[in-house]
Amino acid sequence: MEVFGTMKNIALISTGGTIAGSGRMSEYEAGTLDVRSIIDSIPEIKSLANLKLFPLCSKDSNDITEKDWLALRDLCHQLEKDPSIDGIVITHGTDTFEETAFFLNLTLQNRKPVVMTGAMRPASAVSADGPMNLYEAVSLASHPNAYKAGVLAVFADTIYSARDLVKTNSLKTNAFDMGEYGALGFMRDEHVYFENMPYRKHTCESLFAHLEYSQLPRVGIFYVHAGADPQLLRYMLDHYDGIVLAGSGAGNYSNAIKTVVEEYDGPCRIVRSSRLLEGAVFGSKIFDPEQKTIPSFKLSPHKARILLMVALVYTQDLEKLKMIFETY
Ligand code: SIN
């Protein structure tokens, strides 16, 4: 089957996750199988594209670290320069999927399609979802326009943007969502239907795609809750390069937390975000009268953490950081 004229050459980078998991559905181990065995279970994939395999690691995605992100970024850049490769598919566990996806969306120089996928059921489960997700991801990575939307993800016949996708369900195969944005499109077997395009800067147009670094600044998340300990925040401010406040409501917190933020005068940069799924965080004269914090707008705390990490590689200037959060 030749979907777009000639069969494309797709690099398949595997990192582990449930898609490569084995065992019973309720008690399996992620990242134990070779991706080759999943490909062998989808004979149709061989007539969709020529696959070249790049096993990077074999981890439960909870064990993925910033070091793995940098290794993944380097490999994607090598494959971008390789004229024999037309597109890239990355398999990844679903738990921290959106973090790796957003990091790559912000930092890849790629103009070739990069599509991520995974699975909620292990490869050995009854009706595993990984094979179909992988089949559709390979087809999407072969699509000539896929690169324009930045790093993409495919789950359950739906195309998502790396910036906005969120894992919202811990059980179902339809585990991802883009909240108020819906989705970028859908797939019907190997056929791709784009409906929307992301507006925010990504990949080759991103400022962070052209920065070189061998490690990322230390950024932590302080989770706001009733009775949250201000001493813990004080400790974090003294030990991290950046802190994301996962605030209540529109990025809010107690008077005790506000006092710590107001009194802090050191180099650590503070982002105000929200633990809520919908809505946005803006500058607040009530919670931050001196405007010392950076509003995260619609980014979740864990995505705001990634943007702050890559932004701090570029600048520590508060006003520039605020502009970056308005742009990305
Ligand atoms: C993981 O994130 O590696 C385990 C869970 C999953 O892939 O669904």
Side-chain angles (χ1 to χ4, degrees):
M1 185 191 312
E2 293 187 5
V3 184
F4 304 111
T6 51
M7 276 221 309
K8 304 279 179 166
N9 298 316
I10 303 298
L12 175 52
I13 305 176
S14 51
T15 68
T18 294
I19 190 165
S22 66
R24 286 168 52 79
M25 263 171 62
S26 50
E27 48 191 48
Y28 66 90
E29 213 180 320
T32 50
L33 291 179
D34 188 331
V35 77
R36 209 178 298 267
S37 63
I38 304 161
I39 294 166
D40 289 343
S41 73
I42 332 166
E44 297 84 351
I45 212 164
K46 296 191 177 116
S47 48
L48 194 60
N50 303 309
L51 295 182
K52 263 195 185 177
L53 307 190
F54 295 85
L56 186 70
C57 58
S58 211
K59 292 186 176 187
D60 183 304
S61 76
N62 293 289
D63 294 318
I64 294 276
T65 63
E66 289 90 350
K67 222 169 147 193
D68 295 309
W69 293 347
L70 297 179
L72 200 45
R73 179 177 188 243
D74 281 351
L75 180 53
C76 288
H77 285 167
Q78 280 169 35
L79 294 168
E80 175 72 10
K81 289 189 201 126
D82 181 342
S84 74
I85 296 295
D86 299 305
I88 300 171
V89 169
I90 302 168
T91 57
H92 194 289
T94 60
D95 283 354
T96 65
F97 187 98
E98 67 210 59
E99 294 171 58
T100 302
F102 188 47
F103 173 76
L104 295 177
N105 199 50
L106 287 172
T107 63
L108 286 187
Q109 291 165 13
N110 292 52
R111 287 177 187 274
K112 292 176 185 171
V114 178
V115 180
M116 293 179 61
T117 195
M120 289 297 288
R121 293 182 185 149
S124 54
V126 175
S127 191
D129 52 331
M132 189 56 170
N133 287 343
L134 186 56
Y135 181 78
E136 292 186 338
V138 167
S139 184
L140 183 56
S142 308
H143 192 285
N145 288 332
Y147 78 94
K148 292 185 184 162
V151 175
L152 295 173
V154 179
F155 281 96
D157 309 320
T158 312
I159 305 171
Y160 298 105
S161 91
R163 180 181 186 272
D164 298 312
L165 101 154
V166 190
K167 185 174 179 182
T168 54
N169 198 296
S170 62
L171 289 175
K172 297 183 179 173
T173 51
N174 192 6
F176 285 86
D177 199 357
M178 267 175 40
E180 290 162 323
Y181 304 123
L184 291 189
F186 62 96
M187 305 219 31
R188 186 165 176 253
D189 300 329
E190 66 278 7
H191 302 286
V192 178
Y193 299 91
F194 275 112
E195 301 292 338
N196 300 302
M197 278 285 142
Y199 173 77
R200 298 276 182 151
K201 282 181 190 264
H202 58 73
T203 53
C204 48
E205 341 162 311
S206 163
L207 174 64
F208 313 112
H210 307 284
L211 299 179
E212 286 310 326
Y213 41 89
S214 56
Q215 70 180 58
L216 286 160
R218 196 158 177 235
V219 176
I221 299 176
F222 178 83
Y223 198 92
V224 174
H225 54 88
D229 183 358
Q231 294 311 327
L232 182 58
L233 176 59
R234 221 184 286 273
Y235 174 88
M236 289 177 81
L237 287 167
D238 288 338
H239 290 84
Y240 287 77
D241 303 307
I243 294 294
V244 176
L245 296 173
S248 56
N252 306 334
Y253 33 75
S254 64
N255 271 316
I257 301 288
K258 181 176 163 182
T259 303
V260 174
V261 172
E262 286 193 316
E263 285 175 359
Y264 181 70
D265 194 23
C268 181
R269 292 291 174 230
I270 307 171
V271 170
R272 271 179 54 246
S273 75
S274 171
R275 37 181 228 190
L276 302 191
L277 275 181
E278 307 287 3
V281 174
F282 297 93
S284 164
K285 293 209 170 97
I286 311 278
F287 288 91
D288 179 19
E290 291 170 48
Q291 307 287 292
K292 290 167 82 166
T293 64
I294 304 153
S296 73
F297 296 97
K298 291 189 73 70
L299 290 181
S300 64
H302 46 287
K303 290 215 179 124
R305 172 178 176 264
I306 292 165
L307 181 54
L308 185 57
M309 278 196 280
V310 296
L312 284 173
V313 172
Y314 174 71
T315 183
Q316 271 96 48
D317 182 273
L318 184 60
E319 294 314 311
K320 286 190 183 145
L321 290 168
K322 286 182 182 173
M323 277 301 295
I324 285 171
F325 272 78
E326 283 179 24
T327 313
Y328 292 87

